[in-house]
Amino acid sequence: MEKKQELYLQKHQDYFKFIQTHLNGASDLPLPPGKLTKLERRVIQNKLIEWIEQFKGEIRDKLVKLCQDAGFVSEDIKLLDSLFYGRRISAAYRLGGMRAAEAVPRMLLMLEKQRYSPLTIVIARAIAKSAERGDQLKEMLHHLLRHGKPIHNMAADILMETGLDSSRLLLKLLEDENPDLVKVALVAMWGQAVPEVVPALDRLVGTGEKDVRAEAVKLYLSSNPVLKDDTIRELMADSDWEVRAAVAKSLGNTHAAGSIPLLRTALQDSNWRVRSNSAESLAKLGETGFEVLCQIAKNGSGIEREAALHQVEKAMLEEGEHQKLDQMVAYNKKKLLYERYFGVSESKPVRQVAAVGGDYTA
C-alpha cells in the first residue's frame, strides 16, 4: 500500500503543482482528474489536508471547498457510522483536517454517546477545528469533560485549534458556572494577551473553587494589575500556598517596596516556595529589601534564616551577570551591605534550600 501511495503521489504531481500555482487565483480549484481508485482519492485528500493545515484565510477556504466539491467530506461523514473503530477514528481526524463545518452536529452527537477513549480526543479536536459557532465549542467541552478526567490542559489545547475569536470565547467560559470550563479558559489564556478578560479574572480572584482561584490569581497577577494594599494583605494570608507564592513573586516584579513587611513575615511561611519567592522579591526591592534579607540571614533562625541566607549568597554570585551601569551600581550597593553584615565576601557555592524541613541547629 505504501508503494502504491508513492506511485499515486508521483502520478498526480502535475495536478498538485497546478493547485499550488492557482491558490491565489480568483476561480475555484479544479477537481482531481480522471477516474480514481479509492486509495488514489485518499492520497489526493491527504495532500489537500496537509495544505489546509499549513495555510489560513482565503487559501484555506479554497482548499476546504475543493474537498467538499470532490466529495471527500461527504464520504468521511458516512464513515462515522462504520462498525470498525479504526475507520471512525480516521474519518473524524480527516473531517477535522478538512474543517468540515457540516460534520460538526454529527460529531457532537457522536461525542455525546462516546465513552472516554482515544476516539473522544480525536472527535473533540475535529469539532474544535471545524466549529463555526461558540456554542458548538462549549458543547464539545461539556461532553469532553463530563467523564471527570483531569484533562483541562489538553482540553485548552484542543479549544485553541478553533478559528473563532478566542477572546470573546474565553470571556464566556470564565463567566460560566461550570468550574471545569473556567479551568480550561484559565489554562488557555496563559501566554496570551487578552485584556478583555481581566475584569472577569478580578471577579474570580475573590471567589470560586480553590484550584480555580489559584490559577485565576496567578494569571491575574501576570497582567500586572495595580493592587490595593488591602488586596495584597488578603492574598498573602490566603489558605492556598499557590496563591501566596504567586503574590510573593509578583511583589518583587512590580517593585512594590511598601510590601517589604509582608514579605519579611512571609519568610516564616510553612511552604518553602512561598519563602523562596518572598526572599527573591526582597532582593529585587533595592537596598531596603536586601538589608532586610541580610539582617535575617545574620540574626534570624530556622526556616526564615535559611531562605534569606540562600538568597543573599545567590545575589553575591551575580556580579558577572550585570552588564548595564545601573545594574552594576545596584550590585555594588548590595555588596557593601553584605560586607557590613558578613565581612568581605568570598566566592563560594550557593547552599541549597531544603524543600521540606531542614537542619536548623547551626
Side-chain angles (χ1 to χ4, degrees):
M1 185 175 287
E2 288 181 1
K3 287 182 179 180
K4 283 186 177 181
Q5 288 175 340
E6 288 296 327
L7 286 173
Y8 290 145
L9 281 171
Q10 291 299 321
K11 176 182 175 181
H12 294 285
Q13 276 302 309
D14 290 342
Y15 176 67
F16 294 144
K17 289 179 181 177
F18 182 87
I19 293 295
Q20 286 178 300
T21 55
H22 289 77
L23 284 174
N24 292 306
S27 59
D28 291 342
L29 299 173
L31 298 176
K35 188 175 182 180
L36 307 175
T37 66
K38 186 178 292 186
L39 181 59
E40 211 167 355
R41 286 176 61 80
R42 184 72 71 227
V43 167
I44 294 174
Q45 180 186 16
N46 289 338
K47 175 59 72 172
L48 294 178
I49 290 174
E50 180 184 323
W51 287 338
I52 289 172
E53 295 289 354
Q54 293 174 0
F55 295 106
K56 293 183 178 180
E58 293 183 3
I59 293 179
R60 174 184 281 181
D61 293 340
K62 291 183 71 173
L63 290 167
V64 168
K65 187 177 186 303
L66 176 57
C67 288
Q68 293 169 337
D69 294 342
F72 295 141
V73 172
S74 59
E75 289 173 3
D76 277 328
I77 290 177
K78 291 178 182 178
L79 284 177
L80 291 177
D81 294 318
S82 173
L83 295 176
F84 297 98
Y85 180 78
R87 290 182 184 177
R88 297 199 301 272
I89 288 183
S90 299
Y93 177 81
R94 289 191 297 268
L95 286 166
M98 293 184 292
R99 306 306 192 267
E102 57 266 57
V104 171
R106 176 66 186 83
M107 289 193 290
L108 281 170
L109 183 61
M110 190 175 177
L111 190 61
E112 181 181 5
K113 296 180 178 179
Q114 178 75 28
R115 292 197 304 175
Y116 187 80
S117 71
L119 181 58
T120 306
I121 304 301
V122 175
I123 298 173
R125 196 175 293 275
I127 293 171
K129 289 181 176 182
S130 308
E132 292 184 318
R133 304 195 314 269
D135 62 305
Q136 293 175 327
L137 291 172
K138 190 173 179 180
E139 185 179 349
M140 177 272 291
L141 288 174
H142 272 295
H143 295 324
L144 180 61
L145 299 169
R146 66 187 169 88
H147 305 282
K149 304 290 184 180
I151 55 171
H152 299 91
N153 285 53
M154 183 185 295
D157 179 62
I158 291 172
L159 179 66
M160 298 316 292
E161 294 272 10
T162 183
L164 301 177
D165 181 8
S166 60
S167 61
R168 184 178 302 177
L169 177 63
L170 293 175
L171 181 58
K172 288 184 178 180
L173 292 179
L174 283 176
E175 295 174 342
D176 199 272
E177 295 180 358
N178 186 341
D180 283 326
L181 297 186
V182 177
K183 291 176 189 177
V184 170
L186 290 171
V187 174
M189 286 171 58
W190 278 107
Q192 296 193 67
V194 191
E196 297 90 342
V197 302
V198 171
L201 283 176
D202 195 9
R203 175 182 61 82
L204 287 172
V205 165
T207 60
E209 290 188 358
K210 178 180 176 181
D211 50 350
V212 170
R213 274 183 54 262
E215 291 301 321
V217 167
K218 287 187 283 186
L219 192 57
Y220 182 62
L221 293 173
S222 70
S223 65
N224 296 321
V226 179
L227 296 175
K228 297 179 181 178
D229 291 341
D230 290 343
T231 304
I232 294 175
R233 280 194 294 270
E234 182 181 339
L235 293 175
M236 284 295 286
D238 197 275
S239 59
D240 189 343
W241 71 265
E242 289 190 73
V243 172
R244 301 196 303 275
V247 178
K249 190 174 186 67
S250 73
L251 293 177
N253 295 331
T254 56
H255 304 290
S259 300
I260 288 178
L262 282 175
L263 291 170
R264 163 71 178 82
T265 303
L267 290 178
Q268 301 174 357
D269 196 278
S270 59
N271 183 271
W272 73 274
R273 177 63 70 186
V274 179
R275 299 194 300 270
S276 176
N277 286 357
S278 300
E280 185 178 331
S281 288
L282 282 169
K284 293 179 179 179
L285 296 178
E287 295 174 69
T288 306
F290 189 72
E291 185 166 9
V292 169
L293 283 176
C294 289
Q295 290 172 350
I296 298 172
K298 178 73 173 179
N299 305 315
S301 61
I303 55 177
E304 66 168 358
R305 178 178 181 273
E306 183 182 26
L309 190 56
H310 169 79
Q311 190 60 46
V312 166
E313 292 178 348
K314 182 180 177 182
M316 287 300 96
L317 290 177
E318 294 176 351
E319 180 177 13
E321 299 177 12
H322 301 304
Q323 304 297 328
K324 297 181 180 179
L325 179 60
D326 57 339
Q327 292 177 332
M328 289 187 285
V329 170
Y331 172 80
N332 287 332
K333 289 179 179 179
K334 289 181 179 179
K335 189 174 181 180
L336 288 174
L337 282 170
Y338 178 88
E339 291 176 352
R340 184 194 306 170
Y341 283 89
F342 303 101
V344 179
S345 60
E346 298 179 2
S347 296
K348 55 183 178 179
V350 178
R351 70 185 68 207
Q352 296 298 314
V353 177
V356 179
D359 182 7
Y360 312 125
T361 57

